[in-house]
Amino acid sequence: MALDSSDAPGFGTLAIHGGQSPEPSTGAIMPPIFQTSTYVQPAIAEPLGGIYDYARVANPTREALERNLAALEGGAHGVAFASGLAAIESVLKTLSAGDHVVSEENTYGGTTRMFTRVLARLGIDFSFVDSRDPEAVAAAVRPETRLIHVETPTNPMMRLCDIGAVSEVARDAGALLMVDNTFASPYNQRPLELGADITVHSATKYLNGHSDIIGGALVVRDDALAEEIRFVRKSTGAVPGPMDAWLCLRGAKTLHVRMRQHNAAGLAVARHLEGHAKVDAVFYPGLPSHPQHDLAKRQMKGFTGMVSFDVGTLDRARAVVEHTRLFQLAESLGGVESLVSVPALMTHASVPKDLRERMGVTDGLVRLSVGIEEIDDLLADLDRALER
Ligand code: P1T
């Protein structure tokens, strides 16, 4: 029997066993990688299991991942995608021209780019707000608002949105609330339990955790919403391949162990940087100096391995990223190895400069994805680079 959250096991037990059962023909403890595009049907339009007609529609490896992620997020349905952006896009494609979306302004740069430069052309209207203030979200709602999209913590400013408060705004507006939970991971934050309707991930990041796939996922509670999203995925096609689904499932099984270390290392790095003479500001919700630290303690179990800090100028930021040896200069995050980036020139280069700077994404902002190497080695690596 597959375990799910109704058995009330601890998170780490769910990570390993959630939605999993031995493969019926051999007892294989891991699901096989069903590397197939189609399935032989016993009779016309009578696929086995009622669903296995074509692998864009159904794949057992992908389903094993989806059941696991649903258990981790405390939802009823997981839906896996070829990327995080494809997952977000599929929700937007349940809307129609003329519908309106309220979105947090400081999302991943690629999310904002998709909203403003692709979906807006198709007639969906967007308003961008600072979702740290639930009243600002409420003020942006219109009669045509169908969706509120937030990211918490935000990329890269580590701003938080009070998910419970904004879920009430969504309910009053008759809109759905989607929370991008990529930075927190379900180990640290479970948006559905706080009132969100949809939790979305770039599975490329903490869920997979090993920097070897691009993937995305959504988890929802509502059956009809899951059916609508699966219909969009089947009709538009952004499915992950079975090998990537299998790798992501393998990664998800150690999410709790990795996140404990990411949380500990992230906090240690943030504290260390806060006391460093060469650092002007540190953005990390686990620090008491973070303006939303109380909310962080209320809605998160740990504060992740994502840390941003400002060193004042692009030249100084460049000196830091060019002199770290463990922290490697790269986009992406959430893998076991530590990464460093300059968001203004990399992940958020597509965001207009005035908006970027208003949010604090200055040219001197450095973003770390703190990995799970030994903490002392990571601190020494940062010290060496900051001395340059
Ligand atoms: O890269 P993809 O799997 O499509 O996921 C997009 C995405 C969605 N949401 C958040 C919060 C993200 O951070 C991302 C991707 N982010 C990076 C690649 C990055 O370096 O920030």
Side-chain angles (χ1 to χ4, degrees):
M1 268 291 281
L3 207 65
D4 62 37
S5 49
S6 63
D7 295 304
F11 187 91
T13 307
L14 268 184
I16 294 164
H17 297 286
Q20 305 303 298
S21 41
E23 192 277 320
S25 69
T26 63
I29 197 158
M30 277 298 281
I33 302 167
F34 280 90
Q35 193 76 44
T36 187
S37 57
T38 193
Y39 307 90
V40 177
Q41 304 185 22
I44 297 171
E46 282 183 19
L48 284 172
I51 54 168
Y52 295 110
D53 56 3
Y54 189 60
R56 176 165 22 82
V57 182
N59 179 288
T61 315
R62 193 171 84 203
E63 286 149 18
L65 169 66
E66 293 175 334
R67 289 192 301 270
N68 185 256
L69 298 183
L72 290 185
E73 285 285 4
H77 306 278
V79 192
F81 288 86
S83 71
L85 287 184
I88 296 170
E89 190 200 16
S90 76
V91 174
L92 274 291
K93 281 182 173 162
T94 65
L95 309 187
S96 305
D99 287 343
H100 174 247
V101 176
V102 179
S103 171
E104 160 62 37
E105 61 186 4
N106 174 219
T107 58
Y108 165 58
T111 305
T112 316
R113 182 179 58 202
M114 169 171 57
F115 288 175
T116 56
R117 294 178 58 191
V118 179
L119 296 170
R121 278 198 279 114
L122 306 182
I124 297 175
D125 276 338
F126 292 89
S127 299
F128 294 93
V129 297
D130 179 346
S131 68
R132 283 177 295 190
D133 177 8
E135 284 175 18
V137 180
V141 164
R142 301 183 200 157
E144 320 78 70
T145 305
R146 297 268 320 276
L147 180 73
I148 297 176
H149 174 72
V150 302
E151 202 177 282
T152 182
T154 63
N155 179 356
M157 293 313 299
M158 307 301 287
R159 293 172 12 175
L160 305 187
C161 167
D162 183 332
I163 297 172
V166 172
S167 76
E168 280 169 29
V169 174
R171 199 168 314 122
D172 291 347
L176 295 177
L177 173 62
M178 169 153 68
V179 176
D180 188 325
N181 202 26
T182 299
F183 264 40
S185 90
Y187 179 76
N188 286 324
Q189 176 172 279
R190 308 229 288 175
L192 299 181
E193 289 172 359
L194 298 167
D197 301 288
I198 304 167
T199 175
V200 63
H201 282 273
S202 169
T204 315
K205 313 291 164 28
Y206 285 119
L207 289 181
N208 175 62
H210 294 76
S211 311
D212 49 14
I213 66 156
I214 296 286
L218 299 170
V219 179
V220 302
R221 278 183 307 247
D222 186 71
D223 297 346
L225 180 58
E227 199 176 317
E228 212 180 335
I229 291 167
R230 287 203 177 102
F231 174 77
V232 169
R233 184 184 60 176
K234 161 173 110 169
S235 306
T236 57
V239 293
M243 178 77 190
D244 285 1
W246 187 89
L247 281 168
C248 191
L249 175 60
R250 181 165 75 160
K253 283 175 181 251
T254 56
L255 182 66
H256 53 303
V257 186
R258 289 184 285 108
M259 289 316 298
R260 284 177 197 136
Q261 186 66 21
H262 283 296
N263 288 345
L267 185 60
V269 165
R271 282 186 178 141
H272 188 75
L273 291 174
E274 192 169 45
H276 202 289
K278 299 267 170 72
V279 174
D280 295 346
V282 181
F283 305 95
Y284 186 73
L287 291 176
S289 60
H290 189 286
Q292 295 171 290
H293 183 56
D294 287 340
L295 171 61
K297 284 191 290 186
R298 259 203 331 273
Q299 96 181 356
M300 301 174 77
K301 187 163 105 184
F303 309 109
T304 95
M306 297 306 296
V307 182
S308 294
F309 63 103
D310 204 311
V311 290
T313 65
L314 177 58
D315 282 346
R316 290 194 202 146
R318 190 174 278 130
V320 172
V321 304
E322 285 177 356
H323 290 95
T324 49
R325 281 189 246 150
L326 288 174
F327 285 89
Q328 310 215 45
L329 180 60
E331 303 206 0
S332 204
L333 57 111
V336 293
E337 53 288 284
S338 292
L339 301 179
V340 61
S341 65
V342 177
L345 276 68
M346 297 169 70
T347 50
H348 291 69
S350 62
V351 179
K353 192 171 167 68
D354 55 333
L355 172 60
R356 225 165 48 207
E357 298 207 325
R358 186 161 55 74
M359 296 185 305
V361 188
T362 62
D363 290 356
L365 188 79
V366 177
R367 189 189 79 180
L368 302 176
S369 172
V370 182
I372 62 171
E373 301 93 338
E374 297 296 343
I375 294 173
D376 287 348
D377 294 336
L378 294 174
L379 298 181
D381 195 42
L382 290 169
D383 279 348
R384 188 176 42 240
L386 281 163
E387 286 318 314
R388 302 304 285 244

CSV table of all heavy atoms in Angstrom, one decimal, residues 82-88 107-111 149 151 153-155 180-183 200-205 213-216 306 330-333 341 347-348 367, ligand 1:
chain,number,residue,atom,x,y,z
A,82,ALA,N,7.9,19.9,-18.0
A,82,ALA,CA,9.2,19.9,-18.6
A,82,ALA,C,10.1,21.0,-18.0
A,82,ALA,O,11.3,20.9,-18.1
A,82,ALA,CB,9.2,20.1,-20.1
A,83,SER,N,9.5,22.0,-17.3
A,83,SER,CA,10.3,23.0,-16.7
A,83,SER,C,9.4,23.8,-15.7
A,83,SER,O,8.1,23.6,-15.7
A,83,SER,CB,10.8,24.0,-17.7
A,83,SER,OG,9.8,24.8,-18.2
A,84,GLY,N,10.0,24.6,-14.8
A,84,GLY,CA,9.2,25.4,-13.9
A,84,GLY,C,8.3,26.4,-14.6
A,84,GLY,O,7.2,26.6,-14.3
A,85,LEU,N,8.9,27.0,-15.7
A,85,LEU,CA,8.1,28.0,-16.4
A,85,LEU,C,6.9,27.3,-17.1
A,85,LEU,O,5.8,27.9,-17.2
A,85,LEU,CB,9.0,28.7,-17.4
A,85,LEU,CG,9.9,29.7,-16.8
A,85,LEU,CD1,10.7,30.5,-17.9
A,85,LEU,CD2,9.2,30.8,-15.9
A,86,ALA,N,7.1,26.1,-17.6
A,86,ALA,CA,6.0,25.4,-18.3
A,86,ALA,C,4.9,25.1,-17.3
A,86,ALA,O,3.7,25.2,-17.6
A,86,ALA,CB,6.5,24.1,-18.9
A,87,ALA,N,5.3,24.8,-16.0
A,87,ALA,CA,4.3,24.6,-15.0
A,87,ALA,C,3.4,25.8,-14.7
A,87,ALA,O,2.2,25.8,-14.7
A,87,ALA,CB,5.0,24.1,-13.7
A,88,ILE,N,4.1,27.0,-14.6
A,88,ILE,CA,3.4,28.2,-14.4
A,88,ILE,C,2.5,28.6,-15.6
A,88,ILE,O,1.4,28.9,-15.4
A,88,ILE,CB,4.4,29.4,-14.1
A,88,ILE,CG1,5.2,29.1,-12.8
A,88,ILE,CG2,3.7,30.7,-14.0
A,88,ILE,CD1,6.4,30.0,-12.5
A,107,THR,N,9.3,38.4,-8.9
A,107,THR,CA,9.5,37.0,-9.2
A,107,THR,C,10.8,36.8,-9.9
A,107,THR,O,11.5,37.7,-10.4
A,107,THR,CB,8.3,36.5,-10.1
A,107,THR,OG1,8.3,37.2,-11.3
A,107,THR,CG2,7.0,36.7,-9.4
A,108,TYR,N,11.1,35.5,-10.2
A,108,TYR,CA,12.1,35.1,-11.1
A,108,TYR,C,12.0,35.9,-12.4
A,108,TYR,O,10.9,36.0,-12.9
A,108,TYR,CB,12.1,33.6,-11.3
A,108,TYR,CG,12.9,33.1,-12.5
A,108,TYR,CD1,14.3,33.4,-12.5
A,108,TYR,CD2,12.3,32.4,-13.5
A,108,TYR,CE1,15.0,32.9,-13.6
A,108,TYR,CE2,13.1,32.0,-14.6
A,108,TYR,CZ,14.4,32.2,-14.6
A,108,TYR,OH,15.2,31.8,-15.7
A,109,GLY,N,13.1,36.4,-12.9
A,109,GLY,CA,13.0,37.3,-14.1
A,109,GLY,C,12.3,36.6,-15.3
A,109,GLY,O,11.5,37.2,-16.0
A,110,GLY,N,12.4,35.3,-15.4
A,110,GLY,CA,11.8,34.6,-16.5
A,110,GLY,C,10.3,34.5,-16.4
A,110,GLY,O,9.6,34.4,-17.4
A,111,THR,N,9.8,34.5,-15.2
A,111,THR,CA,8.4,34.5,-14.9
A,111,THR,C,7.8,35.8,-15.4
A,111,THR,O,6.8,35.9,-16.1
A,111,THR,CB,8.1,34.2,-13.4
A,111,THR,OG1,8.7,33.0,-13.0
A,111,THR,CG2,6.6,34.1,-13.2
A,149,HIS,N,-0.7,35.5,-8.2
A,149,HIS,CA,0.6,34.7,-8.3
A,149,HIS,C,1.6,35.3,-7.4
A,149,HIS,O,2.0,36.5,-7.6
A,149,HIS,CB,1.1,34.6,-9.7
A,149,HIS,CG,2.4,33.9,-9.8
A,149,HIS,ND1,2.6,32.5,-9.6
A,149,HIS,CD2,3.7,34.4,-10.0
A,149,HIS,CE1,3.8,32.2,-9.7
A,149,HIS,NE2,4.5,33.3,-9.9
A,151,GLU,N,5.5,34.7,-5.1
A,151,GLU,CA,6.6,33.9,-4.9
A,151,GLU,C,7.1,34.2,-3.5
A,151,GLU,O,7.2,35.4,-3.2
A,151,GLU,CB,7.7,34.3,-5.9
A,151,GLU,CG,8.7,33.3,-6.3
A,151,GLU,CD,9.7,33.9,-7.4
A,151,GLU,OE1,9.3,33.9,-8.6
A,151,GLU,OE2,10.7,34.4,-7.1
A,153,PRO,N,10.0,32.7,-0.4
A,153,PRO,CA,10.7,34.0,-0.5
A,153,PRO,C,10.9,34.3,-2.0
A,153,PRO,O,10.9,33.4,-2.9
A,153,PRO,CB,12.0,33.7,0.1
A,153,PRO,CG,11.9,32.5,1.0
A,153,PRO,CD,10.8,31.7,0.4
A,154,THR,N,11.0,35.6,-2.3
A,154,THR,CA,11.1,36.0,-3.7
A,154,THR,C,12.6,35.9,-4.2
A,154,THR,O,13.5,35.9,-3.3
A,154,THR,CB,10.7,37.5,-3.9
A,154,THR,OG1,11.6,38.4,-3.1
A,154,THR,CG2,9.3,37.7,-3.5
A,155,ASN,N,12.7,35.8,-5.4
A,155,ASN,CA,14.0,35.6,-6.1
A,155,ASN,C,14.4,37.0,-6.7
A,155,ASN,O,13.7,37.4,-7.6
A,155,ASN,CB,13.9,34.5,-7.2
A,155,ASN,CG,15.1,34.3,-8.0
A,155,ASN,OD1,16.1,34.9,-7.8
A,155,ASN,ND2,15.0,33.3,-8.9
A,180,ASP,N,4.6,30.2,-5.8
A,180,ASP,CA,5.8,29.6,-6.3
A,180,ASP,C,6.7,29.3,-5.0
A,180,ASP,O,7.2,30.2,-4.4
A,180,ASP,CB,6.6,30.6,-7.2
A,180,ASP,CG,7.8,29.9,-7.9
A,180,ASP,OD1,8.4,29.0,-7.2
A,180,ASP,OD2,8.1,30.3,-9.1
A,181,ASN,N,6.8,28.0,-4.7
A,181,ASN,CA,7.4,27.5,-3.5
A,181,ASN,C,8.9,27.0,-3.8
A,181,ASN,O,9.4,26.3,-3.0
A,181,ASN,CB,6.6,26.4,-2.9
A,181,ASN,CG,6.8,26.1,-1.4
A,181,ASN,OD1,7.2,27.1,-0.7
A,181,ASN,ND2,6.6,24.9,-1.0
A,182,THR,N,9.4,27.4,-4.9
A,182,THR,CA,10.7,26.9,-5.4
A,182,THR,C,11.8,27.2,-4.3
A,182,THR,O,12.6,26.3,-4.0
A,182,THR,CB,11.1,27.6,-6.7
A,182,THR,OG1,10.2,27.2,-7.7
A,182,THR,CG2,12.5,27.1,-7.2
A,183,PHE,N,11.9,28.5,-3.8
A,183,PHE,CA,13.0,28.9,-2.9
A,183,PHE,C,12.9,28.2,-1.6
A,183,PHE,O,13.9,27.8,-1.0
A,183,PHE,CB,13.0,30.4,-2.7
A,183,PHE,CG,13.9,31.1,-3.6
A,183,PHE,CD1,14.1,30.7,-5.0
A,183,PHE,CD2,14.7,32.2,-3.2
A,183,PHE,CE1,15.0,31.4,-5.8
A,183,PHE,CE2,15.6,32.9,-4.0
A,183,PHE,CZ,15.7,32.5,-5.3
A,200,VAL,N,3.6,25.8,-6.9
A,200,VAL,CA,4.3,25.5,-8.1
A,200,VAL,C,5.8,25.5,-7.8
A,200,VAL,O,6.3,26.2,-6.9
A,200,VAL,CB,4.0,26.5,-9.2
A,200,VAL,CG1,4.3,27.9,-8.8
A,200,VAL,CG2,4.6,26.2,-10.5
A,201,HIS,N,6.5,24.7,-8.6
A,201,HIS,CA,8.0,24.5,-8.4
A,201,HIS,C,8.7,24.5,-9.7
A,201,HIS,O,8.3,23.9,-10.6
A,201,HIS,CB,8.3,23.2,-7.7
A,201,HIS,CG,8.1,23.2,-6.3
A,201,HIS,ND1,9.0,23.6,-5.3
A,201,HIS,CD2,7.0,22.8,-5.6
A,201,HIS,CE1,8.5,23.5,-4.1
A,201,HIS,NE2,7.3,23.0,-4.2
A,202,SER,N,9.9,25.2,-9.6
A,202,SER,CA,10.9,24.8,-10.6
A,202,SER,C,11.6,23.6,-9.9
A,202,SER,O,12.3,23.7,-9.0
A,202,SER,CB,11.9,25.9,-10.8
A,202,SER,OG,13.0,25.4,-11.5
A,203,ALA,N,11.2,22.4,-10.4
A,203,ALA,CA,11.8,21.1,-9.8
A,203,ALA,C,13.2,21.0,-10.1
A,203,ALA,O,13.9,20.1,-9.5
A,203,ALA,CB,11.0,19.9,-10.4
A,204,THR,N,13.7,21.8,-11.1
A,204,THR,CA,15.1,21.9,-11.4
A,204,THR,C,16.0,22.2,-10.1
A,204,THR,O,17.2,21.8,-10.1
A,204,THR,CB,15.3,23.2,-12.3
A,204,THR,OG1,14.3,23.1,-13.3
A,204,THR,CG2,16.7,23.2,-12.9
A,205,LYS,N,15.3,22.8,-9.1
A,205,LYS,CA,16.0,23.3,-8.0
A,205,LYS,C,16.0,22.3,-6.8
A,205,LYS,O,16.5,21.2,-7.0
A,205,LYS,CB,15.4,24.7,-7.6
A,205,LYS,CG,15.2,25.6,-8.8
A,205,LYS,CD,16.5,26.0,-9.4
A,205,LYS,CE,16.5,26.6,-10.8
A,205,LYS,NZ,15.3,27.2,-11.3
A,213,ILE,N,18.8,18.1,-14.0
A,213,ILE,CA,17.6,18.1,-14.9
A,213,ILE,C,17.0,19.5,-14.9
A,213,ILE,O,17.2,20.3,-14.0
A,213,ILE,CB,16.4,17.2,-14.5
A,213,ILE,CG1,15.8,17.6,-13.1
A,213,ILE,CG2,16.9,15.7,-14.4
A,213,ILE,CD1,14.4,17.2,-12.9
A,214,ILE,N,16.1,19.8,-15.9
A,214,ILE,CA,15.2,20.9,-15.9
A,214,ILE,C,13.8,20.3,-15.7
A,214,ILE,O,13.5,19.4,-16.5
A,214,ILE,CB,15.2,21.7,-17.3
A,214,ILE,CG1,16.6,22.3,-17.5
A,214,ILE,CG2,14.1,22.8,-17.3
A,214,ILE,CD1,16.9,23.6,-16.7
A,215,GLY,N,13.1,20.8,-14.8
A,215,GLY,CA,11.7,20.2,-14.5
A,215,GLY,C,10.8,21.2,-13.8
A,215,GLY,O,11.3,22.2,-13.2
A,216,GLY,N,9.6,20.9,-13.8
A,216,GLY,CA,8.6,21.7,-13.1
A,216,GLY,C,7.5,20.9,-12.5
A,216,GLY,O,7.3,19.7,-12.9
A,306,MET,N,19.2,30.0,0.3
A,306,MET,CA,19.3,31.1,-0.6
A,306,MET,C,19.6,32.4,0.3
A,306,MET,O,18.9,32.7,1.2
A,306,MET,CB,18.0,31.3,-1.4
A,306,MET,CG,17.7,30.1,-2.3
A,306,MET,SD,19.1,29.8,-3.4
A,306,MET,CE,19.2,31.3,-4.4
A,330,ALA,N,27.2,30.7,-11.7
A,330,ALA,CA,26.2,30.0,-12.5
A,330,ALA,C,24.8,30.5,-12.1
A,330,ALA,O,24.5,30.8,-11.0
A,330,ALA,CB,26.3,28.5,-12.4
A,331,GLU,N,23.9,30.4,-13.1
A,331,GLU,CA,22.5,30.6,-12.8
A,331,GLU,C,22.0,29.3,-12.2
A,331,GLU,O,22.7,28.3,-12.1
A,331,GLU,CB,21.7,30.8,-14.1
A,331,GLU,CG,22.2,32.1,-14.8
A,331,GLU,CD,21.2,32.8,-15.7
A,331,GLU,OE1,20.0,32.3,-15.8
A,331,GLU,OE2,21.6,33.8,-16.3
A,332,SER,N,20.8,29.3,-11.7
A,332,SER,CA,20.1,28.1,-11.1
A,332,SER,C,20.5,28.1,-9.6
A,332,SER,O,21.3,28.9,-9.1
A,332,SER,CB,20.4,26.8,-11.7
A,332,SER,OG,19.4,25.9,-11.4
A,333,LEU,N,19.9,27.2,-8.9
A,333,LEU,CA,20.0,27.1,-7.4
A,333,LEU,C,19.5,25.8,-6.9
A,333,LEU,O,18.9,25.0,-7.7
A,333,LEU,CB,19.2,28.2,-6.8
A,333,LEU,CG,17.7,28.2,-7.2
A,333,LEU,CD1,16.8,27.9,-6.0
A,333,LEU,CD2,17.3,29.6,-7.7
A,341,SER,N,25.8,34.2,-8.1
A,341,SER,CA,25.4,34.9,-9.3
A,341,SER,C,25.2,36.4,-9.0
A,341,SER,O,25.1,36.8,-7.8
A,341,SER,CB,24.1,34.3,-9.9
A,341,SER,OG,23.0,34.5,-9.0
A,347,THR,N,20.1,36.3,-13.9
A,347,THR,CA,18.7,35.8,-13.9
A,347,THR,C,17.6,36.9,-14.0
A,347,THR,O,16.5,36.6,-14.4
A,347,THR,CB,18.4,35.1,-12.5
A,347,THR,OG1,18.8,36.0,-11.5
A,347,THR,CG2,19.2,33.8,-12.4
A,348,HIS,N,18.0,38.2,-13.7
A,348,HIS,CA,17.0,39.2,-13.8
A,348,HIS,C,17.3,40.3,-14.8
A,348,HIS,O,16.8,41.4,-14.7
A,348,HIS,CB,16.7,39.8,-12.4
A,348,HIS,CG,16.1,38.8,-11.4
A,348,HIS,ND1,16.7,37.7,-11.0
A,348,HIS,CD2,14.8,38.8,-10.9
A,348,HIS,CE1,15.8,37.0,-10.2
A,348,HIS,NE2,14.7,37.6,-10.2
A,367,ARG,N,23.9,36.9,-5.3
A,367,ARG,CA,23.0,35.9,-4.8
A,367,ARG,C,23.8,34.6,-4.6
A,367,ARG,O,24.5,34.2,-5.5
A,367,ARG,CB,21.8,35.7,-5.8
A,367,ARG,CG,20.8,34.8,-5.2
A,367,ARG,CD,19.7,34.4,-6.3
A,367,ARG,NE,20.2,33.4,-7.1
A,367,ARG,CZ,19.5,32.8,-8.2
A,367,ARG,NH1,18.3,33.3,-8.4
A,367,ARG,NH2,20.0,31.9,-8.9
B,1,P1T,O1,14.1,27.1,-15.0
B,1,P1T,P1,12.8,26.6,-14.8
B,1,P1T,O2,12.8,25.2,-14.3
B,1,P1T,O3,11.8,26.8,-16.0
B,1,P1T,O4,12.1,27.4,-13.6
B,1,P1T,C1,11.8,28.7,-13.6
B,1,P1T,C2,11.7,29.3,-12.2
B,1,P1T,C3,10.5,29.4,-11.6
B,1,P1T,N1,10.4,29.9,-10.3
B,1,P1T,C4,11.5,30.3,-9.6
B,1,P1T,C5,11.4,30.9,-8.3
B,1,P1T,C6,12.8,30.2,-10.2
B,1,P1T,O5,13.9,30.5,-9.5
B,1,P1T,C7,12.9,29.7,-11.5
B,1,P1T,C8,14.2,29.5,-12.2
B,1,P1T,N2,15.3,30.2,-11.6
B,1,P1T,C9,16.6,30.3,-12.1
B,1,P1T,C10,17.0,29.6,-13.1
B,1,P1T,C11,17.5,31.1,-11.2
B,1,P1T,O6,18.7,31.0,-11.4
B,1,P1T,O7,17.0,31.9,-10.5
